[in-house]
Amino acid sequence: MRVGLTGGIGSGKSTVAGFLREAGAAIVDTDAISRSLTQPGGAAMPAIAQQFGSHFVTADGALDRDRMRALAFSDSDAKRRLEAILHPLITAEALAQADAASTALVVFDVPLLVESGRWRARVARVLVVDCRTETQIERVLQRPGWTRERVDGALAAQASREARRAAADAVIFNEGLTLETLRHNVRSLAATWGCETMATP
């Protein structure tokens, strides 16, 4: 079973992914793949340098993430050009990792699954982690370096809660739950999707 996992910033998606992993599911983390592609020597760096210029490359050869993030937020064409470089490489690596997995449940952790429009056909189910927008803001503001302006920009760049829920086969409403309750809910849901270890304590 291949499942797409998504959720807005601050929803608790990474925590849910961790519970899935600890119980035996294979997690394919597209954010981690993206970071590996844009680190020094990463496969995406030559094309990024050619497309955007050397001032978007740090001294050690990695992507200057802060500079690129600022450009992508302000220039939709630049964002599209960056995605045209990264998305095919991310997809190829994600599918290779999934093909190599030997578990009953493979979970693609894709923050922009709904926005991309491409992942739905690659998975049998979509699991959305949801919470109130106010809770998202409160959680993200506790992270180092995050300002309200940056949080608002991140929320604006993502699909609405309604759009994510409309695309979901299952929703975990991560609001007011203890970690143990959240873990139990995740394990129960995944057990129905064929990950037998999820059903055991």
Side-chain angles (χ1 to χ4, degrees):
M1 173 76 79
R2 294 189 175 190
V3 172
L5 170 65
T6 195
I9 187 169
S11 64
K13 175 181 63 64
S14 296
T15 301
V16 169
F19 290 152
L20 290 167
R21 178 183 286 111
E22 77 177 21
I27 307 297
V28 178
D29 186 339
T30 58
D31 262 358
I33 293 171
S34 177
R35 288 192 297 271
S36 71
L37 292 170
T38 55
Q39 66 185 5
M45 290 311 302
I48 289 174
Q50 182 179 32
Q51 181 72 233
F52 294 96
S54 60
H55 53 293
F56 282 93
V57 182
T58 63
D60 63 355
L63 175 66
D64 186 331
R65 295 181 182 280
D66 289 338
R67 185 186 291 265
M68 183 59 77
R69 184 182 297 111
L71 176 66
F73 273 140
S74 63
D75 185 338
S76 59
D77 180 64
K79 182 183 179 196
R80 283 192 295 271
R81 286 186 286 135
L82 178 65
E83 290 173 345
I85 294 170
L86 288 176
H87 285 179
L89 295 171
I90 292 170
T91 299
E93 175 60 23
L95 294 177
Q97 289 185 18
D99 289 342
S102 58
T103 56
L105 183 63
V106 176
V107 177
F108 293 93
D109 183 344
V110 186
L112 300 181
L113 183 148
V114 174
E115 294 84 341
S116 75
R118 291 181 294 275
W119 278 98
R120 189 60 184 91
R122 300 185 179 116
V123 296
R125 300 285 188 275
V126 171
L127 171 58
V128 169
V129 185
D130 184 45
C131 66
R132 295 182 303 115
T133 302
E134 295 79 4
T135 301
Q136 291 179 261
I137 294 169
E138 291 170 5
R139 289 171 177 169
V140 179
L141 284 176
Q142 295 175 17
R143 300 177 184 177
W146 280 81
T147 63
R148 178 58 189 264
E149 181 181 12
R150 186 178 173 190
V151 175
D152 288 342
L155 288 170
Q158 296 185 337
S160 67
R161 288 180 61 200
E162 292 74 19
R164 280 192 297 269
R165 292 178 71 101
D169 295 291
V171 175
I172 291 179
F173 188 55
N174 184 22
E175 188 77 48
L177 303 180
T178 66
L179 281 176
E180 282 307 311
T181 298
L182 179 60
R183 176 185 281 114
H184 172 77
N185 292 349
V186 171
R187 291 166 71 95
S188 297
L189 177 62
T192 70
W193 287 343
C195 197
E196 293 182 2
T197 57
M198 302 297 288
T200 62

